[in-house]
C-alpha cells in the first residue's frame, strides 16, 4: 500500500489555489439525477469520493464524462433506481442519492450505508423526513426499500441540523406537490451551493444558509451549468499546516468567511492573518501560543471536519488547548497516532486536552480516517525527522494529491 514519506521541520511558503468542495460536489452530483438532461459542473475535484459518486450515476444510467476539473452528467435516461451494496459501502455519504432517486423514479432501493471510522452514522433523520413527505419505507436485512406514495409538501422539523438529512429532504421535496419547509435546517455553505444549483435547474427553493428552507415542488428541468464552491475544509487544512510549520502561505480562490472560526483560532495562537477578496495570507513564527477551547458545532460554529487538523497545530503550540467534539461520537482516532509522534494528549469522552510545546518527532503512523489522516500529515510536517504515513487512501478521499500541494509550499514529502 502507498504511503507518504515526510521529512519535517521546514517552514512553508508560497501560494495554494483551493479546489472545489468535496462536500458540495457530492450532493450536487446526486442532484443531477433530479434534473433530467445535461448538467455541466466546473471546479470538480478529482477525489476518490467523487469517483465513487460517478460510479453510482453510471450505474443508474447516466452518461458521465470528465475533462479536467469539469464533469458533465447527462441524466436524460435513468434505467435503475437501486444502489448496490458495494457502491454504498465505497462512500458512506452515498445515502444522499436516496432523495433524488425517489424524486426521479418514485422508488429507490439502497443498502444502509453502515458505519464508518467516525461512528455508527445513523440515517434516522433522513428516513423520518422522507416518510413525512409521503414515502413508504421498509428497512429489511440491511436494505432500505422506498416507494413514493402521494408525495405532498409538509413542514419537516429536524431534531438536529443534519447536513445530509437537509440535502436529502431538499432533493425529495422537489417532487412533492405544494410547499415543503425544512425547519432547523443545516446552515453549512454547501447547502447554499446545492440550492444555487437547484435554482439554476428551475427549482423554486429559497432560504438555504438559514435555518428554514422552503421548496415548492414541481418537475422543472433545464440543462444547467454550475461552478462548485471552494472547499473550506481543504482551506482550513492548509492554513493549519502553515500555522504548525511556521512560514508565509497564501490561499487563493477561497471564501474567507467560510473559515472564520479557523482563522480566529489561529490568530489567537499568534498567527498573522490577512484577507483580501478571495485570498487569505497566513504568517506564523514557531512556536505558537495555545488556543482558546475548540468546540465543534454545526455551521457557523467550528467545523468538526477541521478538529483533527487544529489538534495537530495545538500539539506544536506552547500551552494547553482543550477540544470538545460535539458532532461525532468517535472523532479522536488520530490522537493515538499523534502520541506516537510525541504529542501529549488526554481524552475523556468528547473532551481532549492537548499539552502542546514538547517537540514532535517523526514516526511510523497510520491514517485512521480522512481528516485524522490530514492531521498526521500536518504533525509530520512540523516534527523533526522522518515520518511515514500509511493508509493514505483515507486522505485521498478528500484531498487531490496532497503531496503535490505541500511540495509546492516547500515541504519535503513524497508518495511511495
Ligand atoms: C456531512 O456529513 C459531511 N459529509 C461530513 O464531512 C461532516 O463532518 C458532517 O456533514 C458535519 O458537518 C458530507 O457532506 C459528504 P450530519 P453528514 O448528518 O451529512 C448525526 C468529511 O470529513 N445524525 O450533519 O453525514 C450523525 O451521527 C465528512 O468531509 C443522526 O443522528 O453529517 C452525526 O453525529 C465527515 N441521524 C451528526 O448527526 C441522521 O439521520 C452530524 O451528522 C443523520 C445524522
Amino acid at each position: 500500500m502507498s504511503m507518504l514519506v515526510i521529512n519535517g521541520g521546514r517552514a512553508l511558503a508560497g501560494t495554494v489555489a483551493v479546489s472545489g468542495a468535496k462536500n458540495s460536489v457530492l450532493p450536487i452530483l446526486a442532484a443531477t439525477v433530479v434534473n433530467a438532461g445535461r448538467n455541466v459542473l466546473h471546479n470538480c475535484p478529482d477525489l476518490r469520493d467523487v469517483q465513487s459518486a460517478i460510479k453510482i450515476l453510471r450505474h443508474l444510467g447516466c452518461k458521465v464524462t470528465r475533462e479536467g476539473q469539469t464533469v458533465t452528467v447527462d441524466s436524460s435516461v435513468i434505467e435503475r433506481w437501486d444502489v448496490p451494496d458495494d457502491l454504498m459501502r465505497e462512500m458512506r455519504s452515498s445515502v444522499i442519492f436516496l432523495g433524488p432517486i425517489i424524486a426521479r423514479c418514485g422508488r429507490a432501493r439502497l443498502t444502509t450505508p453502515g458505519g464508518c471510522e467516525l461512528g455508527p452514522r445513523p440515517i434516522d433523520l433522513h428516513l423520518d423526513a422522507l416518510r413525512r413527505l409521503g414515502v413508504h419505507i421498509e428497512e429489511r436485512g440491511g436494505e432500505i426499500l422506498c416507494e413514493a406514495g402521494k408525495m405532498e409538501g409538509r413542514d419537516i422539523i429536524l431534531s438536529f441540523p443534519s447536513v445530509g438529512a437537509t440535502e436529502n429532504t431538499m432533493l425529495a421535496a422537489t417532487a412533492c406537490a405544494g410547499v415543503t419547509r425544512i425547519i432547523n435546517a443545516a446552515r453549512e455553505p454547501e447547502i447554499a451551493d446545492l440550492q444555487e444549483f437547484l435554482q439554476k435547474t428551475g427549482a423554486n427553493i429559497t432560504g438555504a444558509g438559514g435555518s428554514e428552507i422552503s421548496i415548492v415542488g414541481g418537475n422543472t428541468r433545464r440543462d444547467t451549468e454550475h461552478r462548485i464552491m471552494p472547499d473550506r475544509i481543504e482551506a482550513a487544512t492548509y492554513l493549519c499546516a502553515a500555522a504548525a510549520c511556521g512560514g508565509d502561505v497564501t490561499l487563493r480562490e477561497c471564501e474567507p468567511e467560510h473559515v472564520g472560526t479557523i482563522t480566529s483560532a489561529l490568530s489567537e495562537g499568534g498567527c498573522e492573518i490577512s484577507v483580501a477578496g478571495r485570498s487569505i495570507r497566513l504568517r506564523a513564527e514557531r512556536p505558537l501560543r495555545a488556543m482558546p477551547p475548540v468546540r465543534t458545532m454545526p455551521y457557523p460554529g467550528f467545523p468538526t471536519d477541521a478538529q483533527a487538523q487544529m489538534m495537530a497545530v495545538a500539539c506544536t503550540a506552547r500551552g494547553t488547548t482543550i477540544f470538545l467534539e460535539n458532532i461525532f461520537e468517535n472523532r479522536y482516532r488520530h490522537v493515538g497516532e499523534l502520541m506516537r509522534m510525541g504529542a501529549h494528549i488526554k481524552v475523556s469522552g468528547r473532551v481532549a486536552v492537548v499539552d502542546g510545546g514538547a517537540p514532535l518527532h517523526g514516526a511510523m503512523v497510520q491514517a485512521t480516517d480522512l481528516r485524522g489522516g490530514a492531521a498526521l500529515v500536518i504533525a509530520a510536517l512540523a516534527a523533526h525527522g522522518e515520518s511515514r504515513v500509511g493508509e493514505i487512501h483515507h486522505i485521498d478521499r478528500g484531498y487531490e494529491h496532497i503531496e503535490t500541494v505541500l511540495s509546492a509550499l516547500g515541504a519535503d514529502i513524497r508518495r511511495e
Side-chain angles (χ1 to χ4, degrees):
M1 293 296 271
S2 54
M3 62 169 58
L4 292 173
V5 181
I6 297 166
N7 281 295
R10 302 158 69 119
L12 300 182
T15 299
V16 180
V18 175
S19 310
K22 168 181 86 79
N23 292 348
S24 180
V25 69
L26 294 177
I28 289 176
L29 282 169
T32 63
V33 170
V34 172
N35 186 47
R38 183 175 157 77
N39 301 271
V40 181
L41 305 176
H42 300 295
N43 201 29
C44 290
D46 191 3
L47 304 168
R48 284 186 58 221
D49 274 7
V50 173
Q51 291 155 17
S52 301
I54 289 172
K55 277 188 210 169
I56 292 173
L57 288 171
R58 286 179 175 145
H59 170 84
L60 296 174
C62 299
K63 292 186 183 59
V64 187
T65 54
R66 175 185 276 272
E67 273 182 58
Q69 297 302 84
T70 295
V71 169
T72 300
V73 180
D74 181 343
S75 58
S76 312
V77 175
I78 295 287
E79 295 154 343
R80 306 178 66 113
W81 40 273
D82 70 309
V83 178
D85 192 43
D86 57 328
L87 291 182
M88 281 302 292
R89 285 189 177 279
E90 241 184 69
M91 178 179 68
R92 196 236 148 253
S93 49
S94 308
V95 70
I96 191 53
F97 279 89
L98 190 54
I101 294 174
I102 292 169
R104 178 73 183 269
C105 307
R107 53 186 177 168
R109 190 178 75 215
L110 277 64
T111 53
T112 45
C116 76
E117 311 81 19
L118 307 183
R121 304 298 292 274
I123 58 170
D124 54 305
L125 298 177
H126 299 241
L127 302 185
D128 293 350
L130 294 174
R131 285 189 171 104
R132 263 189 70 73
L133 293 178
V135 180
H136 305 298
I137 300 176
E138 193 187 335
E139 299 171 74
R140 193 176 60 205
E143 279 204 319
I144 307 164
L145 303 159
C146 302
E147 194 75 38
K150 189 170 172 4
M151 298 266 289
E152 287 187 351
R154 305 282 294 272
D155 280 1
I156 304 287
I157 301 173
L158 293 178
S159 58
F160 178 85
S162 154
V163 171
T166 300
E167 293 165 343
N168 249 331
T169 307
M170 287 162 74
L171 291 164
T174 58
C176 289
V179 181
T180 298
R181 289 194 312 162
I182 305 172
I183 295 148
N184 194 29
R187 296 171 53 193
E188 274 70 3
E190 292 77 19
I191 307 280
D193 208 26
L194 175 62
Q195 171 177 280
E196 189 184 325
F197 170 79
L198 290 170
Q199 287 172 336
K200 287 176 181 174
T201 70
N204 180 346
I205 176 167
T206 52
S211 297
E212 186 171 315
I213 299 173
S214 290
I215 305 103
V216 180
N219 282 327
T220 60
R221 56 150 305 287
R222 191 185 294 167
D223 288 355
T224 297
E225 201 148 353
H226 180 74
R227 180 176 178 79
I228 302 295
M229 63 172 266
D231 193 318
R232 58 191 172 97
I233 304 303
E234 185 195 34
T237 303
Y238 293 126
L239 288 169
C240 287
C245 297
D248 183 349
V249 168
T250 298
L251 302 188
R252 290 190 299 103
E253 295 167 47
C254 64
E255 294 290 352
E257 69 178 73
H258 291 170
V259 289
T261 51
I262 286 94
T263 50
S264 65
L266 294 174
S267 302
E268 293 282 338
C271 294
E272 205 183 311
I273 292 173
S274 51
V275 168
R278 288 163 59 86
S279 291
I280 303 176
R281 183 180 181 187
L282 182 146
R283 278 168 283 186
E285 296 280 327
R286 292 184 69 174
L288 294 177
R289 296 188 296 274
M291 288 159 289
V294 175
R295 296 178 185 83
T296 65
M297 296 296 283
Y299 195 88
F302 191 97
T304 174
D305 292 349
Q307 175 257 105
Q309 301 91 308
M310 191 56 81
M311 187 176 286
V313 178
C315 293
T316 69
R318 192 169 286 159
T320 300
T321 305
I322 294 172
F323 289 78
L324 194 51
E325 173 53 57
N326 290 310
I327 306 295
F328 286 104
E329 291 88 5
N330 186 23
R331 203 165 197 175
Y332 285 139
R333 299 181 70 225
H334 45 282
V335 167
E337 298 301 305
L338 287 170
M339 290 170 73
R340 287 171 73 110
M341 302 173 87
H344 297 293
I345 307 170
K346 288 190 183 61
V347 172
S348 171
R350 289 180 178 269
V351 178
V353 180
V354 178
D355 283 324
L360 297 178
H361 51 76
M364 289 281 290
V365 291
Q366 292 206 336
T368 53
D369 54 82
L370 165 55
R371 308 302 177 183
L376 296 178
V377 170
I378 292 169
L381 290 169
H384 298 288
E386 181 180 277
S387 296
R388 302 172 81 86
V389 184
E391 300 298 311
I392 57 174
H393 59 89
H394 288 295
I395 301 174
D396 292 337
R397 284 187 46 220
Y399 298 91
E400 244 184 309
H401 317 306
I402 194 169
E403 71 276 14
T404 310
V405 173
L406 292 168
S407 300
L409 293 176
D412 179 350
I413 178 173
R414 69 179 187 276
R415 183 180 291 249
E416 249 184 21

